[in-house]
Amino acid sequence: MKKILSMISTILMVSALSAQSGYDIMKKAQEVPEPKTSSSKATLTIHSKKGSDRIREVIMKSKDFGDVSKEVIVFTTPKDVAGVGYLMFEYAEDASGNKKDADNWLYMPAMKKTRRIASSGSESEGSFMGTDFTYQDMGERSLNDYDYTLLGEEAVNGVDCYKVECKSKKGTEKDPRYISYISKANYIMQKCEFFDRQDQLHRVLTCTDFTTIDGFTTAQKMKMENVQSGTWSLIESKEIIYNADDIDDSLFTVAALEKGRIR
């Protein structure tokens, strides 16, 4: 009887796995509900290969406008980066899964200048403010830009996950392939492994310290490790507030960055 039950359990598990494709899983992950607005502070630790750490404090705000989601990140300390701001517009996908390229701006107060950041190409793959995160990492990848393969299942920090390989259709990116570990319970990403053009493991993103705020599951820590250089960057979020009514639309503008209005 135990053998029969074991066989049935295996068949059901295989059936459930084959019922969804890699694309289906990544689409569900992208469609996980998000709050209308978000406001938080974060500590950003940048760890060098020599073992030293640089600490940055930032303010982050976001708002969903329906056809576009806007997010702003402003550095508050230390003095050498205070006032540096990054503004992102992420556009919603259409019915065919296509989306307009994101709009991104970087404001450098020392130069009193705002620079447009390309949403694709080598500039988007550059380091975000000296971290192991890229500008591309800060936004959302379009589903139609990748081919997906469900590799199986694997636990990450005790969480049962789908293991999905994502390959760029262009193949020209610095990291043209990555593997996402998506929670089977809620379709929230737990880990992501990025591979370079030589198909060598390049970077590993790990999401931990999950909590539920106003019904939204949130990773309070996101660590990006460059396994090739030995460096890593850690974002630790705090004072997270969702669906507040006092986030003004005008904060999500280049003018607000330049005038130092985001606090």
Side-chain angles (χ1 to χ4, degrees), residues 44-56 232:
L44 172 57
T45 303
I46 305 171
H47 183 81
S48 74
K49 59 183 177 182
K50 293 182 179 180
S52 61
D53 291 340
R54 287 179 290 157
I55 309 297
R56 306 280 187 259
W232 53 260

Side-chain angles (χ1 to χ4, degrees), residues 107-121:
Y107 173 62
M108 306 293 289
M111 302 173 62
K112 296 183 179 180
K113 184 177 181 181
T114 301
R115 181 166 64 92
R116 190 76 171 262
I117 303 293
S119 59
S120 60

